[in-house]
Amino acid sequence: MPAPSTSTPEAPVFPYGSVLAAVLPPREYQAIATSTFLNPNQLTAITLVAVGHTLKSAAQTMGVKPTTLTSYLASAAHELGCPQRISLLVHRAYSHPDFPPTDAHRRPLSGSRRG
């Protein structure tokens, strides 16, 4: 009979770790990579758009078709109860209380209006 394993199970690997690590400070990357808010595809798509990628460049960075990226954003918009306008989706995601805390919470998104 084999001895019971004493090792702890490894945490799941965030599928787009290298993509986000290239565009986020380490603390923000860690917060998003360990988040259970939305799924990794949705979080990565929203984050890439939030840091300035176009839909086409975000899709290329993730290695998916633009229609697939649009699907990730649409499903996130549906889960957040948000219209599919990208600026509103990014704002709604980053403003949601379950979104991992990042430096983006402390600064307004570019182009946002206060009033």
Side-chain angles (χ1 to χ4, degrees):
M1 185 162 137
S5 173
T6 58
S7 65
T8 59
E10 292 185 32
V13 175
F14 191 74
Y16 295 104
S18 61
V19 169
L20 291 182
V23 296
L24 294 175
R27 191 174 86 221
E28 288 186 32
Y29 164 74
Q30 187 62 33
I32 287 177
T34 58
S35 174
T36 57
F37 174 69
L38 300 176
N39 71 45
N41 298 332
Q42 296 165 330
L43 283 169
T44 302
I46 289 170
T47 302
L48 289 175
V49 170
V51 298
H53 279 264
T54 64
L55 295 179
K56 183 177 178 181
S57 70
Q60 288 173 338
T61 300
M62 291 177 71
V64 300
K65 294 179 182 179
T67 54
T68 303
L69 181 90
T70 302
S71 173
Y72 296 156
L73 294 172
S75 63
H78 177 74
E79 286 183 39
L80 293 168
C82 178
Q84 291 186 31
R85 289 192 46 209
I86 297 301
S87 59
L88 292 175
L89 173 59
V90 169
H91 178 73
R92 178 75 57 96
Y94 273 69
S95 298
H96 195 280
D98 291 333
F99 197 83
T102 64
D103 287 341
H105 283 94
R106 289 178 279 289
R107 62 180 182 269
L109 294 174
S110 62
S112 65
R113 294 186 181 130
R114 296 196 173 201

